[in-house]
Amino acid sequence: MDKTANTTNADPSTEEKIMDAARIVFTSKGYAATKVRDIAAQANINLALVNYYFRSKEKLFDLIMAETMKKLFDKIKPVIYNDATTLNEKISGIVDNYLELLLENPELPLFVVSEMRSGSDMLPKMTGNGKLFLESHFAKQLQQLQAEGKIKFHPINIMMNILGLVVFPFIGRPLLMKTGILKEEDFKKIIEERKKLIPLWIVSIINL
Amino acid sequence: MDKTANTTNADPSTEEKIMDAARIVFTSKGYAATKVRDIAAQANINLALVNYYFRSKEKLFDLIMAETMKKLFDKIKPVIYNDATTLNEKISGIVDNYLELLLENPELPLFVVSEMRSGSDMLPKMTGNGKLFLESHFAKQLQQLQAEGKIKFHPINIMMNILGLVVFPFIGRPLLMKTGILKEEDFKKIIEERKKLIPLWIVSIINL
DNA sequence: AATGCAATTAAACAAATGTTTAAAACAAAA
DNA sequence: TTTTGTTTTAAACATTTGTTTAATTGCATT
């Protein structure tokens, strides 16, 4: 078992082909709706190779999920842990970073949140990430905001609002699309618009 | 086939038992992860009865989905079509009505949005609902807001923000829960708090 | 009580789906 | 070239899962 070195190569190894395919299929359809044969087809490889390289559908899924969560947390970690920036700067940073990431991977929010539903126990990794957030400089700044009486509500609301405003368009996109409320061409434009607006809105909410 | 009369009865008919069970299982796990046997078990009836009464898993699912969409649209239709209320009154109405509904059915948003993903073609019914929204008095008021230059961005943003702020806590709940960022006991309290706050926030965003 | 129709059941069936096997193809080393 | 170990393949396998069947039960009407 050599797991041939993962240099950025012209043609990817079979293992990589499978990972790439799994990433696409799992994130777009979810675990239950994904068939191992879908992954094999997407990767253009023989069905048996999936189990040969990854043992089981579930093990492969766990890899993709872990990778995804890491991608999401790594993206804001530097922002929320930076104790040299103001709260407003952090908010802009979070919004910018996430909208950028989500424009490239629009399926991520729905994927994570759907799979979280049926108690797919990655609790250990998850609570770790939770602690990571709660101990951040950003979390402290939010608490201080409340301690100083500058906001009259639970600081978790700020976090909910940032996430809601950033993430909802991507979660609701299929719905807004199919109802005809939002047109394909407009989507990217609207998101770019929101990149500047959301930080303004959040600040305005804080200073209400 | 008698479909015995649906009076609000002491013990529900088998058909109702199946519908109730299907509603619970489908909305909590999604179509792909739901097994017909799960529904039978939840309803405490024989497996074959599901097909006896509803022909197929898919037909049963379509009923639940249609019912759910109707529930969601019926809830705001009277609000957004009322041409005797101000925009602010409508915003409060939408927020109040939805948060109330979602407190009773927290799984609805994630359910609808997940199933919308893999192009589960209920396009006809959907585009109907879309038109229903676009022709509403509420939509007109939003457009007017832009026409008068009172907002400098696409009015769809207002709709996205309302939905995002209202719906996201329910979509993100599993995530916020498992990370330990949000505690079970706090959830309802926070939502109640948001019932007053969100309308204020939206107005403040409009008047920015 | 007897008849007929609807409701229910246990079992079987067929298709789908995750996993394994055994042989073939391939590549590197001797 | 032969040998050895790895990768790939087609096929089979076992389980899950949606659906159907055929028999039984229950109930209302005669």
Side-chain angles (χ1 to χ4, degrees), chain A residues 26-33 35 69 73 107 110-123 126-131 133-134 152-154 156-165 167-169 171-172 174-176 178-182 186-187 190-191 193-194 197-198 200-201 204-206 208, chain B residues 26-33 35 69 73 107 110-123 126-131 133-134 152-154 156-165 167-169 171-172 174-176 178-183 186-187 190-191 193-194 197-198 200-201 204-205 208:
Chain A
F26 275 138
T27 56
S28 75
K29 311 208 293 187
Y31 180 82
K35 311 306 163 193
M69 296 304 308
F73 273 85
E107 349 66 38
L110 195 39
F111 170 64
V112 170
V113 134
S114 312
E115 298 302 339
M116 213 56 80
R117 183 157 56 159
S118 311
S120 89
D121 287 329
M122 27 185 15
L123 266 267
M126 282 296 82
T127 50
N129 282 333
K131 203 172 285 181
F133 168 77
L134 291 169
K152 285 162 287 298
F153 44 79
H154 197 302
I156 191 77
N157 280 298
I158 304 282
M159 197 57 210
M160 275 183 176
N161 292 354
I162 296 176
L163 287 179
L165 293 176
V167 155
F168 180 80
I171 290 183
L175 185 69
L176 297 168
K178 294 207 201 233
T179 54
I181 291 174
L182 183 58
D186 297 338
F187 188 76
I190 302 250
I191 297 299
E193 199 178 20
R194 291 176 74 82
L197 289 169
I198 294 177
L200 296 180
W201 292 336
S204 130
I205 281 173
I206 290 177
L208 199 74
Chain B
F26 275 137
T27 57
S28 75
K29 308 208 294 187
Y31 180 81
K35 312 304 163 193
M69 296 303 307
F73 274 85
E107 348 61 22
L110 196 39
F111 170 63
V112 170
V113 133
S114 311
E115 298 301 339
M116 213 57 81
R117 184 157 54 159
S118 310
S120 89
D121 287 328
M122 24 185 19
L123 267 267
M126 281 298 80
T127 51
N129 282 332
K131 204 172 285 181
F133 168 77
L134 291 169
K152 287 161 285 298
F153 44 79
H154 197 302
I156 191 75
N157 280 298
I158 304 282
M159 196 58 210
M160 275 183 177
N161 293 355
I162 296 175
L163 287 179
L165 294 176
V167 156
F168 179 80
I171 291 183
L175 185 69
L176 296 169
K178 293 207 201 232
T179 53
I181 291 175
L182 183 58
K183 288 175 203 39
D186 297 338
F187 188 76
I190 302 253
I191 297 299
E193 198 178 22
R194 291 175 74 84
L197 290 170
I198 293 176
L200 297 180
W201 292 336
S204 128
I205 282 172
L208 199 73

Side-chain angles (χ1 to χ4, degrees), chain B residues 95-154:
Chain B
V95 172
D96 278 352
N97 280 344
Y98 266 155
L99 284 182
E100 208 56 52
L101 177 64
L102 296 188
L103 273 175
E104 280 160 28
N105 312 310
E107 348 61 22
L108 289 200
L110 196 39
F111 170 63
V112 170
V113 133
S114 311
E115 298 301 339
M116 213 57 81
R117 184 157 54 159
S118 310
S120 89
D121 287 328
M122 24 185 19
L123 267 267
K125 204 181 300 280
M126 281 298 80
T127 51
N129 282 332
K131 204 172 285 181
L132 220 62
F133 168 77
L134 291 169
E135 290 168 354
S136 72
H137 189 244
F138 177 62
K140 293 202 181 71
Q141 285 174 309
L142 285 183
Q143 284 158 5
Q144 204 188 355
L145 212 57
Q146 191 191 32
E148 293 170 352
K150 299 215 170 134
I151 53 173
K152 287 161 285 298
F153 44 79
H154 197 302

Side-chain angles (χ1 to χ4, degrees), chain A residues 80-206:
Chain A
I80 65 177
Y81 268 86
N82 185 342
D83 57 4
T85 54
T86 67
L87 182 59
N88 288 6
E89 288 168 331
K90 284 197 188 62
I91 292 170
S92 286
I94 296 172
V95 172
D96 277 353
N97 280 344
Y98 265 154
L99 285 183
E100 207 56 52
L101 177 65
L102 296 187
L103 273 175
E104 281 161 27
N105 313 324
E107 349 66 38
L108 289 199
L110 195 39
F111 170 64
V112 170
V113 134
S114 312
E115 298 302 339
M116 213 56 80
R117 183 157 56 159
S118 311
S120 89
D121 287 329
M122 27 185 15
L123 266 267
K125 206 180 301 278
M126 282 296 82
T127 50
N129 282 333
K131 203 172 285 181
L132 220 60
F133 168 77
L134 291 169
E135 291 169 353
S136 71
H137 189 241
F138 177 62
K140 292 200 179 74
Q141 283 174 310
L142 286 181
Q143 285 159 3
Q144 202 188 356
L145 212 56
Q146 190 191 33
E148 292 168 352
K150 299 217 169 132
I151 54 174
K152 285 162 287 298
F153 44 79
H154 197 302
I156 191 77
N157 280 298
I158 304 282
M159 197 57 210
M160 275 183 176
N161 292 354
I162 296 176
L163 287 179
L165 293 176
V166 167
V167 155
F168 180 80
F170 295 89
I171 290 183
R173 182 163 75 155
L175 185 69
L176 297 168
M177 238 57 152
K178 294 207 201 233
T179 54
I181 291 174
L182 183 58
K183 288 173 202 41
E184 177 66 50
E185 321 90 69
D186 297 338
F187 188 76
K188 211 191 140 141
K189 199 184 303 177
I190 302 250
I191 297 299
E192 292 295 345
E193 199 178 20
R194 291 176 74 82
K195 220 186 265 190
K196 298 163 210 145
L197 289 169
I198 294 177
L200 296 180
W201 292 336
I202 295 290
V203 170
S204 130
I205 281 173
I206 290 177

Side-chain angles (χ1 to χ4, degrees), chain B residues 1-173:
Chain B
M1 277 212 200
D2 185 15
K3 271 107 216 265
T4 48
N6 271 8
T7 52
T8 44
N9 224 334
D11 69 274
S13 71
T14 302
E15 210 179 338
E16 288 171 308
K17 277 198 253 178
I18 296 173
M19 273 290 256
D20 293 345
R23 198 174 300 115
I24 291 170
V25 184
F26 275 137
T27 57
S28 75
K29 308 208 294 187
Y31 180 81
T34 294
K35 312 304 163 193
V36 178
R37 282 162 179 82
D38 298 340
I39 298 175
Q42 171 78 30
N44 254 307
I45 50 93
N46 185 284
L47 169 64
L49 289 176
V50 176
N51 285 285
Y52 178 77
Y53 281 101
F54 296 95
R55 305 296 307 277
S56 74
K57 176 190 176 186
E58 204 181 351
K59 290 227 170 60
L60 176 53
F61 175 81
D62 287 346
L63 286 179
I64 298 296
M65 178 54 90
E67 182 195 83
T68 303
M69 296 303 307
K70 182 168 160 42
K71 192 191 274 189
L72 288 175
F73 274 85
D74 282 2
K75 198 78 181 187
I76 37 164
K77 217 182 299 176
V79 177
I80 66 177
Y81 268 86
N82 186 342
D83 56 6
T85 53
T86 67
L87 182 60
N88 287 6
E89 287 168 333
K90 284 196 189 62
I91 292 170
S92 285
I94 296 173
V95 172
D96 278 352
N97 280 344
Y98 266 155
L99 284 182
E100 208 56 52
L101 177 64
L102 296 188
L103 273 175
E104 280 160 28
N105 312 310
E107 348 61 22
L108 289 200
L110 196 39
F111 170 63
V112 170
V113 133
S114 311
E115 298 301 339
M116 213 57 81
R117 184 157 54 159
S118 310
S120 89
D121 287 328
M122 24 185 19
L123 267 267
K125 204 181 300 280
M126 281 298 80
T127 51
N129 282 332
K131 204 172 285 181
L132 220 62
F133 168 77
L134 291 169
E135 290 168 354
S136 72
H137 189 244
F138 177 62
K140 293 202 181 71
Q141 285 174 309
L142 285 183
Q143 284 158 5
Q144 204 188 355
L145 212 57
Q146 191 191 32
E148 293 170 352
K150 299 215 170 134
I151 53 173
K152 287 161 285 298
F153 44 79
H154 197 302
I156 191 75
N157 280 298
I158 304 282
M159 196 58 210
M160 275 183 177
N161 293 355
I162 296 175
L163 287 179
L165 294 176
V166 166
V167 156
F168 179 80
F170 295 90
I171 291 183
R173 182 165 71 154

